[in-house]
């Protein structure tokens, strides 16, 4: 937790100096007045400035922003970032040139980074936040790709009359496949195997 003490001729001046150092607005800090200003005798002798202590309030958006910026700076990758918070979920949209390195094969690098960010910003926090990272709309494109794949392989299983085994997927992607096919009455899906090699099987109904 970041704390700073500032002095000024008035309480407001001391507070403003602290806000400038943090680079935040007044409602983002807790303020404690340590000493009231005093003019002293005849306004000269024994005068005392105001002294305040400012403490940054917990802000998961700021913690996420600072963490990701430090990661991207270390990787020397220019990234524009937008973070939106809704219902204790932080949606992080990343934009920039050549960000394929952040996605990796089938999104594995992006998922790994997302996992680490979630661990870091929720460490020692009473109120947890879920962080979802996305690179230039990749996740929605991946959902659409998996939905089309599910339909194509379901048709294949029905036409051939035997099961089709998909490659191993993480739990989130398996859920997309199951959801895409749950309305069909000619096939059924199930998962088998252990993580991280767990995979979906699409089977025709007899």
């Amino acid at each position: 937790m970041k704390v700073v003490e500032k002095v000024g001729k008035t309480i407001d001046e001391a507070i403003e100096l602290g806000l400038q150092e943090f680079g935040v607005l007044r409602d983002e800090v807790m303020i404690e007045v340590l000493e009231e200003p005093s003019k002293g005798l005849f306004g000269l002798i024994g005068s005392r400035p105001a002294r305040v202590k400012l403490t940054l309030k917990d802000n998961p958006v700021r913690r996420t922003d600072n963490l990701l910026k430090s990661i991207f700076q270390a990787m020397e990758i220019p990234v524009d970032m937008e973070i939106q918070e809704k219902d204790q979920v932080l949606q992080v949209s990343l934009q920039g040139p050549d960000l394929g390195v952040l996605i990796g094969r089938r999104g594995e690098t992006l998922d790994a980074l997302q996992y680490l960010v979630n661990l870091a910003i929720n460490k020692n926090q009473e109120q947890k936040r879920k962080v979802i990272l996305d690179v230039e709309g990749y996740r929605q494109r991946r959902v659409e790709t998996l939905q089309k794949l599910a339909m194509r392989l379901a048709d294949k299983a029905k036409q051939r009359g035997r099961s089709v085994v998909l490659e191993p997927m993480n739990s989130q992607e398996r859920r997309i496949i199951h959801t895409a096919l749950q309305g069909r009455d000619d096939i059924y899906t199930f998962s088998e195997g252990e993580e991280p090699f767990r995979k979906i099987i699409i089977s025709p109904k007899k």
Side-chain angles (χ1 to χ4, degrees):
M1 186 174 292
K2 291 187 177 181
V3 179
V4 68
E5 291 187 14
K6 289 293 179 181
V7 296
K9 293 179 181 179
T10 65
I11 290 175
D12 283 340
E13 181 182 282
I15 291 173
E16 185 60 32
L17 290 172
L19 294 176
Q20 289 176 9
E21 180 167 325
F22 280 143
V24 299
L25 300 176
R26 194 169 182 137
D27 61 358
E28 296 181 81
V29 298
M30 293 181 290
I31 300 169
E32 180 183 353
V33 178
L34 301 176
E35 289 185 15
E36 298 274 356
S38 172
K39 292 184 178 180
L41 187 62
F42 308 120
L44 297 171
I45 303 172
S47 62
R48 189 174 63 216
R51 189 161 66 94
V52 300
K53 179 169 74 173
L54 276 66
T55 304
L56 269 179
K57 293 179 181 177
D58 175 56
N59 188 321
V61 172
R62 185 187 304 112
R63 283 189 281 116
T64 302
D65 182 76
N66 290 339
L67 174 61
L68 286 170
K69 281 180 178 176
S70 66
I71 292 173
F72 299 145
Q73 286 173 0
M75 296 175 69
E76 299 182 347
I77 298 176
V79 179
D80 293 325
M81 184 163 41
E82 180 182 346
I83 304 177
Q84 296 182 335
E85 182 175 14
K86 184 178 180 181
D87 299 330
Q88 297 187 337
V89 176
L90 303 183
Q91 295 277 357
V92 183
S93 176
L94 307 173
Q95 304 281 335
D98 303 322
L99 294 188
V101 65
L102 293 180
I103 298 174
R105 179 176 177 269
R106 293 192 290 113
E108 291 174 352
T109 303
L110 187 61
D111 287 340
L113 179 59
Q114 178 175 288
Y115 175 75
L116 292 175
V117 170
N118 274 279
L119 283 182
I121 73 149
N122 287 309
K123 185 178 181 180
N124 300 324
Q125 300 296 319
E126 292 184 6
Q127 196 169 32
K128 306 297 184 183
R129 297 292 195 282
K130 181 178 181 180
V131 180
I132 298 177
L133 302 182
D134 195 9
V135 175
E136 298 182 336
Y138 165 79
R139 292 206 181 277
Q140 182 57 38
R141 294 196 305 274
R142 180 64 176 164
V143 168
E144 294 170 358
T145 298
L146 289 172
Q147 289 172 337
K148 291 176 182 177
L149 175 68
M151 291 300 180
R152 189 171 70 249
L153 294 182
D155 290 340
K156 181 179 178 180
K158 177 186 176 183
Q159 291 168 3
R160 294 188 175 184
R162 61 175 184 268
S163 298
V164 174
V165 181
L166 282 68
E167 63 182 6
M169 296 179 179
N170 60 41
S171 60
Q172 183 178 349
E173 294 194 339
R174 293 198 306 271
R175 191 177 305 114
I176 293 169
I177 298 288
H178 287 306
T179 301
L181 298 178
Q182 65 182 3
R184 293 188 56 153
D185 57 7
D186 55 345
I187 56 93
Y188 65 97
T189 63
F190 60 96
S191 298
E192 70 174 20
E194 301 295 328
E195 301 289 3
F197 306 109
R198 194 165 174 80
K199 52 198 171 186
I200 287 181
I201 296 176
I202 304 175
S203 295
K205 288 184 178 178
K206 304 299 184 182

